Amino acid sequence: GHETQERLVDVDKGATVDVVFELDREAQVDTGTLTLDSSPTDCTVYLEKGRNLGKTPLKKVKVPAGTLTLRLVHDRKGVDFSARVKVDKDQDTRQTIVVPKGRLKVVVRSWADVYVDGTKIGTTPFGAKDLFAGKHEVRLVNPKLGKDERESVLVKPGEDAKVKRDW
């Protein structure tokens, strides 16, 4: 990490002035690097204060040393997941974060085309579908009945989320 400091100094023409900065030792941050893979890939990785580190896979990105909370986001796949990673000072920490999955069960009478996060996953009836844990938008469409409904669903790790309609 670094800190920017500025000082305004008046200097007479032709004169020389020494400018001294005293750096606060507490402001100096130990760093390491992070090499990070994820499942799913192509997640945007944020550090706790919102700093965007880039998309996975990350290769030797400079970060503060210590235990960090990383937030992985993949809008198309409905991923918004946080994980903790310990980064050692002056070392490259290699880590793989696997976003957990839950399942989505959709029951519609009579039937519906089902879209999750904008992608068609099938026409009911079908069995439960694995989805990455997180918030997903489910869209149910039955043109014959004039139905087109959306519902936000939270899929929790290892659990079943349910959407039910009786049309």
Side-chain angles (χ1 to χ4, degrees), residues 15-53:
T16 303
V17 176
D18 290 330
V19 178
V20 178
F21 287 88
E22 287 212 24
L23 298 178
D24 179 2
R25 278 250 171 239
E26 295 296 317
Q28 297 178 8
V29 177
D30 291 332
T31 61
T33 59
L34 179 63
T35 296
L36 183 70
D37 286 310
S38 69
S39 175
T41 59
D42 207 32
C43 287
T44 302
V45 181
Y46 297 95
L47 206 49
E48 32 294 272
K49 293 183 174 124
R51 178 178 153 212
N52 183 334
L53 299 179

Side-chain angles (χ1 to χ4, degrees), residues 75-154:
D75 289 332
R76 256 188 16 263
K77 295 190 176 177
V79 172
D80 189 340
F81 181 74
S82 293
R84 294 174 68 78
V85 174
K86 185 177 183 292
V87 175
D88 294 324
K89 177 183 172 188
D90 300 327
Q91 300 290 318
D92 183 43
T93 300
R94 295 172 179 270
Q95 186 87 28
T96 299
I97 296 174
V98 177
V99 177
K101 291 186 175 182
R103 297 183 339 148
L104 175 67
K105 289 184 177 182
V106 180
V107 178
V108 179
R109 290 190 186 91
S110 66
W111 64 272
D113 291 325
V114 180
Y115 298 81
V116 175
D117 302 321
T119 301
K120 185 174 179 179
I121 63 166
T123 300
T124 61
F126 57 77
K129 301 280 188 179
D130 286 342
L131 292 179
F132 288 106
K135 196 175 195 180
H136 298 274
E137 181 176 289
V138 176
R139 181 177 172 216
L140 307 172
V141 180
N142 182 321
K144 289 183 181 179
L145 296 177
K147 300 288 188 179
D148 187 339
E149 297 181 9
R150 295 171 193 266
E151 181 175 330
S152 183
V153 176
L154 180 62

